[in-house]
Amino acid sequence: MPVEVPKTTWPGSVKTITLGATPEEGGTRSRTVTVGGETTLPFLHFETPMPNPPAIAVEIKDHRPDDWSPLLAEAWGDVMDDPAQWAKAAEEAGADIIVLALSPKNRDGNETTKEEAVSAVKAVLEASGLPLIVWGPGQADLDNELLVAVAEATKGERLVLGICEDKNYRTIVATAMANDHLVQARTPMDVNLAKQLNILISDMGMPLDRILMDPTTAAVGYGIEYGYSAMERLRLAALQGDAMTQLPMIVTPGFEAWKAKESKVGEGVPEAWGDWKERAVNWETLTAVTLIESGADIVVLRHPESIKRVKVAIEELMNV
Amino acid sequence: MALSGIQIYKLLPQTNCKECGFPTCLAFAMKLAAKQVELSACPYVSEESKQKLAESAAPPIRLVTLKADGNEVKAGNEVVLFRHEKTFYNKPGLFIRLKASEGADAIAQKVAAADAYRVTYVGMDFSIDGFAVQADGGDLNAAVQAVRAKSKRPLILIGEAETLAPALPALDGETPLLYAANPENWEAMADLAKKHAAALAVTAPDLDTLADLTQKIKEKGVEDLVLDLGTTKLSEWLARSTQVRRLALKNFRPLGYPVIALAGEAGDTAKESIFAAQAIAKYAGFIVLDTFAPELIYPLLVLRENIYTDPQKPIQVQPGLYEINNPSPEDPVMVTTNFSITYFAVANEVEGAGIPAWLVVCDAEGMSVLTAWAAGKFDAERIAKSVKEFNVAEKVSKKRVVIPGHVAVLSGELEEELPGWEIRVGPREAVDIPAFVKQAL
Ligand code: B12
Ligand code: SF4
């Protein structure tokens, strides 16, 4: 009995966005990464091929973080003391993109300065030819100060600057526009809020193909279902033709999963949680894979083993 | 899928005799479509129409229930493609596969451990759902007995009809799932399933063949079918599972059955876990794992719970004053919200550290601390109201309340709302509460 497989043809599609610029394009990256361009739901190759695989970004810090799980410290080892070495190690571990998250305080416990931020960014750009995303420390004033300096010092690199939120996006967007960079726009798991922020940013004159949308997510066990459904709904809206949702999505399963007690803590937890390291890696990997299935174009990860596993999953999902 | 009022009308006598209590057959049809009346109110419906109406009322994905000794695992009855459209209902059962060749002793040992496995997530106890036993050359009967000696959970039996047959009489009264009928063996498998009232998995290399097979098997009288999609390649499985769900929801009966995924066939444990996660999100009804390891089962059970949570109702706990570790009047008072994840994050931390405390759980409509705060459901007024409503002042000697670090901004207002109380700002994360209590209180 020939089964007529129902195929959906959507009026809309997701924008294609390229991160990083090679020397010919005005930057210094040895390669660029292109994401987005979907014309149907994730990996439904029988409808239309998925043009670009989801990319794996790996999060590193400007200096050794004191609040990361000991498992992450063990996995990365001494490179955590040096962002350049860490970036190299991340590239070797399989990263497509590096995320450099700037800390509010420097090694000595003083507020991070513009000079320190710029020098960390430059060191990473020299050590690795991958496209780079730079996050401010997450405090509006400091974010603006550091990201403006970073944007100016790296003009033309097509970095992604973040994280723009409704309370603080103008300065970051303005400097990204002036210096040929992109931005990451975050809203809390809501289709309309995501649209609204994208509108505000594009109203400033930022072209839509330089905005990555971050709908916010949570780890398995901590509200992933909200993020999962918000992403499905955003992607459906994009395919239905709503221009302000047609941006590739970036999410942070690494950050979320490693905040969970299941990953962070090895002792004094129920025996039924099983082996700590494998559990933690599963927590991150399964969070990431689930989000990739709901439309993530970039997942930001932390542990080398998760990177490896998610990479294999993406390859298999892209393999028709 | 349910018929529309007009479609139902065409099946009615169309005489407008009014005996059903409605002025016209059409009016009655409309009420039927809305499920507000019973068909039996019309004395004149033909047998043929009755049957058509009954068929159309059947769910688009058949509910298949595996049973053993009071334990049940249900799959099917789903009505949407995306959880936000309504909700997903029947969580995919997680089964652990054993191979007869492993030997009865090894099997009994594994099953005992897996059967006893319990894990608690936000106040809910989870366990695995059943076992799959594969006839791979060893003594199947002995293997099944070994499982039954340690577990009363439903079974899936994997093998050919002639090898499975001898093991089935011992399972009389249960509804196991036989895996699997294929284009070659389907008649024998269907006969066996029918004889023992078992459910039957059906597998084929493509959907055309699969649809053929289910129809032929149904004609033989086996109705509780489960689909195996004939692949464990991630992309291919995702495509087929999506196609089956879409077709089923469009009322394409030959594929209107739950799907089974043999995750252990996907590769090493890393791939198995990823495949299982995909199967949870993308429409599986039964998932068979080869690896029984708590560090894998736990995240899968939690993911499954999350994906199958009703999007309209966050999981929440009853607001109230919770006593942790038998607190006495001088022990600390803390406030939090009634979102389950939030409540248990705090309660588990405090309880685990052996700290006696009074936990005021405010009615924040099931939202997390910051979400509720942003939504105006967890403010000074509400906190004060809870503290008064639950008579906290009468239970404690020290009028001091600790609020979550994330809502430090509330402390000033709360001081005004709760005169005579000292307001302390706790840490942002629950993990840091024990250290905070020791150092600061
Ligand atoms: C999931 C989520 C949602 C879900 C709701 C889930 C739910 N049932 O609450 C949804 C999608 C519905 C949602 C909606 C909204 N959200 Co929301 N949401 C989140 C998200 C991603 C996770 C929240 C969560 O579940 N955390 C886990 C729980 C366990 O954390 P928690 O309750 O804070 O508890 C921890 C601590 O506070 C502490 N703790 C708890 N109690 C106590 C008690 C004491 C004494 C102590 C010491 C410690 C302590 O321990 C816990 C574990 O460490 C956060 C962002 C993030 N990643 O945190 C945004 C976030 C909370 N949301 C936010 C907003 C603005 C909203 C909305 C207003 C916007 C919108 N989307 O429309 C709405 C409001 C809801 C409404 N009007 O109906 C903002 C709040 C911003 C702010 N700081 O004011 C956040 C922070 C996102 C952001 N960065 O903008 N949200
Ligand atoms: S009783 Fe039956 S035939 Fe008579 S009006 Fe009602 S639906 Fe029509």
Side-chain angles (χ1 to χ4, degrees):
Chain A
M1 152 185 258
V3 172
E4 205 182 312
V5 170
K7 290 188 190 173
T8 318
T9 15
W10 299 97
S13 62
V14 178
K15 294 223 153 29
T16 299
I17 295 192
T18 299
L19 286 73
T22 60
E24 300 83 72
E25 295 156 348
T28 63
R29 306 299 72 214
S30 53
R31 50 170 297 210
T32 60
V33 168
T34 300
V35 292
E38 294 90 341
T39 49
T40 187
L41 293 167
F43 311 107
L44 298 187
H45 308 287
F46 67 95
E47 293 187 325
T48 58
M50 176 123 160
N52 296 295
I56 296 176
V58 176
E59 182 182 352
I60 67 171
K61 305 271 302 178
D62 45 0
H63 58 84
R64 179 181 287 273
D66 54 17
D67 57 350
W68 281 31
S69 167
L71 290 178
L72 289 165
E74 180 191 294
W76 290 111
D78 291 341
V79 302
M80 284 177 112
D81 293 316
D82 175 5
Q85 294 299 321
W86 197 351
K88 265 193 206 152
E91 182 169 353
E92 277 159 29
D96 301 311
I97 301 166
I98 305 289
V99 172
L100 174 64
L102 300 170
S103 315
K105 299 264 166 69
N106 66 16
R107 277 189 183 80
D108 307 324
N110 301 315
E111 188 164 278
T112 305
T113 64
K114 289 190 276 197
E115 294 71 27
E116 286 164 341
V118 169
S119 103
V121 169
K122 290 229 151 151
V124 170
L125 286 173
E126 255 162 54
S128 162
L130 298 180
L132 178 65
I133 298 174
V134 181
W135 291 341
Q139 302 169 2
D141 291 344
L142 194 55
D143 279 2
N144 293 344
E145 188 182 325
L146 301 184
L147 290 176
V148 168
V150 166
E152 286 170 356
T154 57
K155 188 173 168 71
E157 288 283 11
R158 287 181 71 89
L159 305 185
V160 179
L161 303 178
I163 295 174
C164 297
E165 298 188 60
D166 66 344
K167 286 191 248 39
N168 190 44
Y169 66 94
R170 292 177 169 277
T171 308
I172 304 174
V173 172
T175 194
M177 271 174 19
N179 297 292
D180 306 322
H181 298 305
L182 289 65
V183 294
Q184 174 175 346
R186 172 176 286 181
T187 45
M189 298 184 174
D190 184 271
V191 174
N192 291 323
L193 293 177
K195 276 175 72 169
Q196 215 168 42
L197 184 56
N198 297 338
I199 292 169
L200 290 172
I201 292 177
S202 68
D203 278 354
M204 284 182 67
M206 180 60 115
L208 280 177
D209 66 358
R210 278 164 59 192
I211 308 172
L212 290 173
M213 166 166 85
D214 175 352
T216 307
T217 189
V220 168
Y222 293 83
I224 191 173
E225 65 273 30
Y226 295 100
Y228 181 87
S229 286
M231 287 167 71
E232 282 195 331
R233 295 179 56 202
L234 277 164
R235 184 51 49 85
L236 287 167
L239 295 172
Q240 278 152 4
D242 181 345
M244 286 300 155
T245 57
Q246 293 175 333
L247 308 174
M249 292 190 275
I250 178 171
V251 282
T252 53
F255 169 77
E256 296 295 337
W258 286 97
K259 205 166 64 174
K261 184 168 179 183
E262 282 82 352
S263 307
K264 237 176 152 171
V265 185
E267 276 168 31
V269 300
E271 212 173 295
W273 286 14
D275 178 74
W276 180 23
K277 184 183 155 202
E278 184 61 21
R279 172 178 81 235
V281 167
N282 275 333
W283 222 265
E284 183 176 27
T285 303
L286 299 189
T287 300
V289 169
T290 306
L291 297 173
I292 285 173
E293 302 259 3
S294 62
D297 293 282
I298 301 177
V299 286
V300 186
L301 301 178
R302 284 189 172 175
H303 195 285
E305 179 62 26
S306 313
I307 298 166
K308 202 168 98 192
R309 293 187 187 182
V310 174
K311 217 175 175 64
V312 171
I314 292 173
E315 273 162 21
E316 267 209 41
L317 283 163
M318 289 302 290
N319 185 339
V320 187
Chain B
M1 190 107 349
L3 295 178
S4 68
I6 302 292
Q7 286 166 322
I8 295 175
Y9 171 68
K10 292 187 178 145
L11 297 170
L12 295 176
Q14 302 177 16
T15 54
N16 302 335
C17 77
K18 303 188 176 59
E19 275 184 46
C20 57
F22 293 91
T24 61
C25 295
L26 183 61
F28 182 64
M30 292 299 176
K31 288 284 168 189
L32 263 181
K35 298 201 166 68
Q36 289 164 350
V37 289
E38 295 288 330
L39 182 61
S40 54
C42 168
Y44 306 112
V45 207
S46 71
E47 280 310 312
E48 195 194 334
S49 292
K50 268 191 200 157
Q51 204 186 333
K52 280 198 183 138
L53 286 166
E55 259 171 40
S56 79
I61 301 170
R62 188 178 170 85
L63 181 71
V64 173
T65 309
L66 306 187
K67 291 183 199 152
D69 200 22
N71 292 310
E72 282 190 352
V73 185
K74 289 185 176 166
N77 257 1
E78 302 298 337
V79 295
V80 290
L81 204 50
F82 302 102
R83 57 185 294 285
H84 64 259
E85 293 174 309
K86 186 154 177 64
T87 185
F88 292 173
Y89 291 101
N90 287 305
K91 295 172 208 165
L94 289 185
F95 287 70
I96 308 293
R97 176 161 71 169
L98 307 144
K99 298 188 173 164
S101 62
E102 292 172 56
D105 291 348
I107 290 177
Q109 216 171 356
K110 255 198 200 171
V111 170
D115 189 76
Y117 182 75
R118 295 276 182 294
V119 68
T120 308
Y121 164 71
V122 299
M124 296 178 276
D125 282 332
F126 296 153
S127 56
I128 60 140
D129 300 286
F131 295 93
V133 191
Q134 181 154 3
D136 64 338
D139 181 344
L140 181 67
N141 226 345
V144 169
Q145 292 318 311
V147 175
R148 269 290 162 262
K150 302 288 178 195
S151 171
K152 293 177 170 173
R153 296 177 196 276
L155 295 183
I156 298 173
L157 299 184
I158 305 175
E160 292 297 329
E162 63 273 17
T163 38
L164 298 186
L168 281 168
L171 301 178
D172 246 15
E174 301 188 8
T175 311
L177 173 67
L178 309 185
Y179 181 100
N182 60 40
E184 282 79 47
N185 72 2
W186 67 273
E187 290 194 89
M189 290 297 280
D191 287 339
L192 190 65
K194 191 164 182 203
K195 185 169 168 203
H196 294 280
L200 181 59
V202 186
T203 185
D206 56 73
L207 295 187
D208 295 355
T209 321
L210 194 59
D212 268 338
L213 264 183
T214 58
Q215 280 187 303
K216 286 196 266 188
I217 294 172
K218 194 178 164 207
E219 272 163 34
K220 272 198 156 248
V222 182
E223 305 233 24
D224 282 336
L225 302 182
V226 172
L227 308 176
D228 177 277
L229 302 177
T231 177
T232 49
K233 222 173 87 181
L234 274 184
S235 61
E236 215 167 39
W237 194 92
L238 173 66
R240 285 193 199 163
S241 186
T242 306
Q243 292 166 357
V244 164
R245 174 63 72 97
R246 281 190 191 169
L247 283 160
L249 295 181
K250 285 182 193 284
N251 232 16
F252 181 69
R253 298 286 180 192
L255 295 177
Y257 300 99
V259 165
I260 184 169
L262 264 56
E265 301 274 322
D268 60 13
T269 314
K271 278 204 188 163
E272 182 181 14
S273 66
I274 288 167
F275 184 74
Q278 174 177 284
I280 287 172
K282 297 295 178 180
Y283 320 132
F286 301 99
I287 298 172
V288 182
L289 297 162
D290 286 2
T291 308
F292 169 73
E295 58 271 16
L296 171 58
I297 303 294
Y298 174 44
L300 289 177
L301 286 167
V302 175
L303 176 63
R304 179 178 81 165
E305 181 63 31
N306 292 164
I307 295 289
Y308 278 74
T309 296
D310 183 344
Q312 270 73 47
K313 295 184 226 137
I315 37 169
Q316 33 188 301
V317 295
Q318 197 62 31
L321 179 63
Y322 287 69
E323 303 183 6
I324 299 184
N325 295 326
N326 298 317
S328 49
E330 61 276 13
D331 286 320
V333 180
M334 305 182 188
V335 289
T336 189
T337 74
N338 70 324
F339 182 34
S340 283
I341 301 179
T342 302
Y343 166 78
F344 283 103
V346 176
N348 288 346
E349 219 44 76
V350 176
E351 194 180 324
I355 299 167
W358 303 89
L359 190 54
V360 180
V361 177
C362 298
D363 183 358
E365 295 175 20
M367 284 185 239
S368 81
V369 168
L370 277 178
T371 311
W373 177 75
K377 308 292 180 195
F378 188 58
D379 51 18
E381 208 178 309
R382 283 206 176 211
I383 295 173
K385 193 173 149 238
S386 300
V387 168
K388 288 174 195 156
E389 190 180 321
F390 307 142
N391 297 323
V392 184
E394 288 169 19
K395 309 228 162 112
V396 301
S397 54
K398 202 177 256 164
K399 286 183 149 189
R400 181 182 64 190
V401 57
V402 183
I403 61 172
H406 280 300
V407 288
V409 288
L410 292 181
S411 58
E413 269 177 73
L414 195 53
E415 266 166 17
E416 287 172 25
E417 295 277 345
L418 284 177
W421 284 77
E422 182 193 350
I423 311 300
R424 294 285 291 270
V425 175
R428 289 166 164 256
E429 299 302 330
V431 208
D432 302 319
I433 293 178
F436 170 82
V437 170
K438 276 178 204 126
Q439 285 156 22
L441 295 188

